Amino acid sequence: MIPKATPATRAAAIERLGAFLPRAGHQYRRDRNRDRGPGQHSNVSGLSPYIRHRVVSESEVLKAVLYQHTVASAEKFIDEVYWRSYWKGWLEHRPDVWSRYLEQLRGSLRAVDTDRGLRNACEEAVTGRTGIEPFDAWAQELISTGYLHNHARMWFSSIWIFTLKLPWELGADFFLRHLLDGDPASNTLSWRWVAGLHTRGKTYLATADNIEKYASTRFFADGPPLGLTRLSSRADPLVEEALPAAVPLSLPEPVDATSGSGLLLTEEDLYLDAPLAPRAVALWMPSAMHPLPASDLVSAFKAEAGQDALEGARKRWPQAREGSALSSVPQIVDWARQHALEQVYMAYIPQGHLSMQVAELRQALIDVDCRLRVFVRDFDRLAWPHATKGFFQLKRQIPRMLEALGLA
Ligand SMILES: Cc1cc2nc3c(=O)[nH]c(=O)nc-3n(C[C@H](O)[C@H](O)[C@H](O)COP(=O)(O)OP(=O)(O)OC[C@H]3O[C@@H](n4cnc5c(N)ncnc54)[C@H](O)[C@@H]3O)c2cc1C
């Protein structure tokens, strides 16, 4: 079945959530690990592109799930939603991991320019011409749909690192630029986890048996696919210089809304709930954020999601001035001036490409007597402090967090 392009609107997200809800309990627990191929992923929610940009919020997804299922029967799904928070929170404590990744990526991109062998091997991998049939199919699925099943992401990254022996950060970059849910925390840290850099020394090895067990209908219907005998039987952990110590979280205090304020939506958080009735709404959508550009599919998805959020904002806050998409700090400053804004509110920007520009924006606004005020969603404020070690430290807190959010 040829998958349709994923619509980026909130209406589409709510429809997808509604369609998935009956399957979010024991069915999800039983079937979620199966990779059935493009257009056949109904055993998982497919909500990640929407959750990634907060077209829908984690709280509303869990609220809808818990309306139909008990916490016990939806435990697996709830855990997965919190895996995302775990990665986000963990990277907040270790911002150096993101800057180190970017630095290594630039180094590897330079190596690709100068080393023809590496360039050819990368080219084969990202265009699906390695001869390892499942790997090639995943590369093509990613490029044509912007999505891969979680298990496929694990197998793909493991084969990239341990069989093809390519630099992990080039694979992570390939994912980040092509996934509709491409996320600095979930993506970078999952690649690091597979490589043995997250849980030191513990790697993930893709095996033919495991691929057959969970993707048999996709790849084994006519016998074993080509190339699986080439898979590495070893996954020796990558090593790196020790990371700097974790930094304490420093989240801004809750803010009180004041008049004369504007709301700045970003691709990190398009959820239309803010502690103010804004005088003006705009969308910050920087044009270039990677050393290499995102795929057309990803750019189109983000643009549509942003426009849809602006339209939603018009209905939600009819008093606010017509919003527009702004791509640079000077444009935001002009917008603040034009509407005589004393304050610009924005949902917290977690570690990633955009967070690196927040200090510049704050200063530029101060220069025109406007303050940047940042609010943090309760979901993040509750979860991130528990993301300092392994996931299970955070998991233990889930019942308490659900209760604090009024969801239990
Ligand atoms: C190498 C690698 C790279 C990844 N890169 C990303 C990425 O860039 N962005 C991203 O959102 N996820 C990433 N993941 C996690 C996971 O694969 C996707 O979130 C999941 O496949 C999305 O599909 P879904 O919405 O159908 O998930 P479901 O199974 O329906 O899960 C529901 C939601 O929980 C969250 N979630 C589920 N599994 C995970 C997980 N393992 N880690 C973090 N959150 C999870 C997602 O928000 C997802 O929408 C990556 C995993 C690996 C192994």
Side-chain angles (χ1 to χ4, degrees):
M1 189 197 298
I2 297 174
K4 289 193 234 104
T6 307
T9 60
R10 181 164 160 86
I14 297 296
E15 193 183 324
R16 186 169 290 198
L17 172 61
F20 172 70
L21 283 180
R23 301 191 295 275
H26 77 274
Q27 226 176 315
Y28 178 79
R29 186 176 54 219
R30 190 188 60 207
D31 296 339
R32 72 191 177 94
N33 280 325
R34 301 200 177 281
D35 173 15
R36 296 171 173 160
Q40 313 278 352
H41 295 302
S42 59
N43 50 327
V44 288
S45 71
L47 285 169
S48 53
Y50 305 110
I51 295 178
R52 158 68 183 99
H53 300 290
R54 279 223 168 112
V55 172
V56 287
S57 72
E58 294 93 326
S59 293
E60 74 177 325
V61 168
L62 293 184
K63 187 175 176 187
V65 165
L66 290 172
Y67 194 71
Q68 294 207 6
H69 303 274
T70 61
V71 172
S73 66
E75 182 186 352
K76 266 289 157 210
F77 184 77
I78 298 168
D79 280 1
E80 295 307 322
V81 171
Y82 272 105
W83 262 104
R84 173 184 149 76
S85 305
Y86 168 70
W87 293 130
K88 301 291 290 178
W90 198 91
L91 198 60
E92 287 302 306
H93 287 93
R94 307 263 186 181
D96 288 312
V97 170
W98 173 249
S99 35
R100 185 184 282 194
Y101 157 70
L102 284 182
E103 198 182 303
Q104 283 174 243
L105 173 60
R106 285 191 200 99
S108 291
L109 288 171
R110 281 194 297 274
V112 166
D113 278 344
T114 52
D115 177 340
R116 181 136 47 108
L118 177 63
R119 184 161 64 245
N120 290 342
C122 279
E123 192 57 28
E124 277 176 12
V126 301
T127 51
R129 289 185 290 111
T130 63
I132 302 172
E133 272 180 4
F135 183 94
D136 293 345
W138 291 318
Q140 283 154 11
E141 180 182 359
L142 175 59
I143 288 172
S144 60
T145 70
Y147 180 82
L148 279 185
H149 183 277
N150 181 57
H151 229 149
R153 298 181 199 207
M154 291 162 65
W155 292 319
F156 185 98
S157 50
S158 176
I159 296 170
W160 180 285
I161 297 168
F162 301 116
T163 297
L164 302 176
K165 302 204 178 304
L166 294 170
W168 73 268
E169 55 281 351
L170 289 178
D173 177 60
F174 174 55
F175 267 27
L176 198 56
R177 288 185 295 108
H178 286 276
L179 283 169
L180 299 183
D181 62 32
D183 178 82
S186 289
N187 189 56
T188 314
L189 300 179
S190 296
W191 275 83
R192 286 174 56 85
W193 176 82
V194 169
L197 295 169
H198 183 74
T199 311
R200 289 284 150 139
K202 188 173 175 292
T203 52
Y204 177 77
L205 179 67
T207 64
D209 284 353
N210 191 254
I211 296 172
E212 179 171 10
K213 182 171 175 192
Y214 291 107
S216 54
T217 51
R218 179 169 187 181
F219 296 118
F220 286 76
D222 304 318
L226 291 177
L228 284 189
T229 50
R230 281 173 51 200
L231 296 198
S232 172
S233 57
R234 296 174 59 114
D236 296 329
L238 303 189
V239 283
E240 66 176 357
E241 238 176 73
L243 293 172
V247 297
L249 272 188
S250 73
L251 297 178
E253 291 302 311
V255 289
D256 289 326
T258 48
S259 57
S261 304
L263 175 66
L264 191 58
L265 301 170
T266 71
E267 66 168 49
E268 297 295 327
D269 194 318
L270 295 169
Y271 195 54
L272 298 180
D273 184 21
L276 70 153
R279 177 189 287 177
V281 180
L283 169 73
W284 185 14
M285 199 55 94
S287 38
M289 294 201 293
H290 295 273
L292 297 175
S295 74
D296 290 348
L297 222 53
V298 168
S299 303
F301 184 88
K302 287 187 194 178
E304 188 187 356
Q307 279 310 323
D308 186 65
L310 279 178
E311 270 163 41
R314 245 167 251 150
K315 292 181 197 139
R316 169 103 168 71
W317 295 293
Q319 81 287 354
R321 307 280 158 73
E322 192 88 339
S324 53
L326 309 170
S327 63
S328 68
V329 167
Q331 284 182 0
I332 298 172
V333 171
D334 281 350
W335 165 75
R337 262 215 213 102
Q338 195 189 335
H339 297 290
L341 301 177
E342 288 156 27
Q343 324 203 46
V344 169
Y345 283 74
M346 176 171 89
Y348 184 81
I349 308 280
Q351 289 299 316
H353 290 102
L354 200 55
S355 67
M356 293 155 67
Q357 301 180 42
V358 171
E360 185 196 344
L361 173 62
R362 187 183 301 279
Q363 186 55 51
L365 286 173
I366 288 175
D367 292 345
V368 293
D369 287 332
C370 179
R371 283 183 65 197
L372 182 64
R373 307 201 64 180
V374 174
F375 57 91
V376 181
R377 305 263 179 221
D378 290 345
F379 200 85
D380 302 336
R381 199 184 282 285
L382 285 165
W384 290 354
H386 306 295
T388 52
K389 296 192 181 112
F391 174 71
F392 291 93
Q393 180 201 31
L394 183 145
K395 180 176 159 67
R396 276 198 294 275
Q397 302 297 328
I398 291 178
R400 249 166 283 176
M401 292 191 281
L402 293 179
E403 205 171 312
L405 292 164
L407 300 177

